[in-house]
């Protein structure tokens, strides 16, 4: 069901007067895509919470990651349909801001989920993983695992300019011991240990190609940071094809079920698990509160992150894959 159809049904329900009192909160959820398991789980969580609180949930998504125009149209349609709160995972942290401003100017509360806008203050609030901390956790894990042995690092990133990609990347370097980095650093940094950096767009196929290119440039790579678990799976395929899968460590971020299974299988050494249902749950509740009381959220709400690994290293707190599989998302 597309957005227009969903909105039409909502309006028809109100006209029919069936459990659609004027005060029923209407909340919109706009994700980057409808196919990524992370966003599928976020949508599931939002629907469960909206139903429990008696709210109407409208949903829409871009055609693909990076589809700003699709998200702009979705905002406009949801405002027209009466949404008083819009939850959005911005595909483009800057280009989406004019559409968000128009909605806020009409009294709509806008909350970013998972990814911030740039600047973050363009929305009323942000409910997300502390992506810098997610990077720090896997950086600390890798540092402790190598115990001072020489490393040559490949960093498989998201795409240029995306704040989540930047903060995870820099968090990893900070956790690995680099100095002079903070969560506010806005550029992708590079240390002397990093011998290759490449964009993957969070895609398995592009992750594989990026790893192949990095290996061609430096066959001595022995540590791989990946922006997410699909990119990690692609990197592993490239390493396996080169006969290096047992000698190169991969660390990642996400905590999806497939990714946690890859940790259990030894494909990924450790991953930082995030919680999309918690983001949606808290944000829908905030939307209902706003509709009933006029109280808006403000600032950043940390929705948590946990390091998952079956190989404990001294000095780094982690949970095993049994815990991770109990809290994961996707198939």
């Amino acid at each position: 069901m597309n957005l227009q159809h969903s909105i039409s049904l909502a309006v028809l329900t109100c006209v029919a007067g069936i459990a659609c009192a004027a005060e029923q909160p209407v909340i919109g959820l706009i994700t980057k895509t409808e196919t990524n398991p992370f966003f599928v789980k976020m949508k599931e969580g939002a629907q469960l919470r909206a139903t429990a609180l008696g709210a109407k949930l409208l949903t829409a998504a871009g055609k693909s990651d990076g589809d700003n125009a699709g998200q702009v149209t979705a905002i406009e349609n949801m405002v027209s349909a009466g949404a008083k709160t819009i939850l959005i995972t911005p595909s483009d942290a800057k280009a989406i801001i004019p559409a968000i401003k128009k909605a806020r100017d009409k009294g709509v509360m806008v909350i970013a989920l998972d990814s911030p806008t740039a600047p973050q203050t363009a929305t009323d609030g942000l409910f997300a993983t502390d992506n810098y901390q997610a990077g720090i956790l896997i950086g600390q894990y890798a540092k402790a695992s190598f115990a001072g042995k020489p490393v040559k690092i490949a960093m498989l990133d998201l795409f240029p300019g995306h704040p989540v990609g930047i903060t995870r990347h820099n968090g990893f370097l900070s956790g690995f011991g680099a100095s002079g980095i903070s969560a506010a650093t806005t550029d992708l940094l590079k240390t002397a240990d990093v011998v290759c950096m490449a964009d993957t767009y969070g895609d398995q196929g592009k992750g594989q190609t990026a790893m192949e290119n990095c290996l061609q440039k430096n066959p001595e790579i022995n540590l791989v940071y990946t922006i997410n678990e699909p990119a990690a799976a692609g990197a592993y395929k490239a390493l396996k094809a080169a006969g290096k899968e047992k000698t190169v460590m991969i660390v990642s971020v996400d905590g999806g079920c497939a990714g946690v299974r890859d940790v259990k299988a030894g494909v990924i050494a450790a991953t930082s698990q995030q919680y999309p249902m918690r983001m949606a749950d808290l944000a829908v509740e905030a939307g209902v509160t706003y509709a009933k009381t006029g109280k808006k959220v403000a600032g950043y709400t940390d929705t948590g992150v946990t390091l998952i690994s079956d190989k404990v290293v001294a000095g780094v707190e982690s949970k095993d894959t049994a815990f991770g599989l109990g809290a994961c998302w996707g198939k």
Side-chain angles (χ1 to χ4, degrees), residues 29-47:
L29 171 65
I30 304 170
T31 52
K32 293 180 181 177
T33 72
E34 288 188 333
T35 54
N36 185 315
F38 183 88
F39 299 125
V40 170
K41 198 67 174 180
M42 179 180 286
K43 180 178 174 180
E44 178 186 329
Q47 186 60 69

Side-chain angles (χ1 to χ4, degrees), residues 238 269 273 289 305:
Q273 186 173 53
T289 297
V305 62

Side-chain angles (χ1 to χ4, degrees), residues 68-119:
N68 182 69
Q71 291 197 325
V72 169
T73 300
I75 290 175
E76 294 171 348
N77 288 342
M78 287 181 176
V79 172
S80 297
K84 296 303 181 186
T85 294
I86 292 177
L87 318 176
I88 183 168
T89 61
S91 279
D92 190 313
K94 295 181 179 179
I96 196 66
I97 288 177
I100 290 175
K101 184 178 185 306
K102 287 182 181 178
R104 294 180 74 191
D105 287 346
K106 294 181 178 179
V108 176
M109 181 171 71
V110 180
I111 299 173
L113 302 183
D114 180 50
S115 303
T117 51

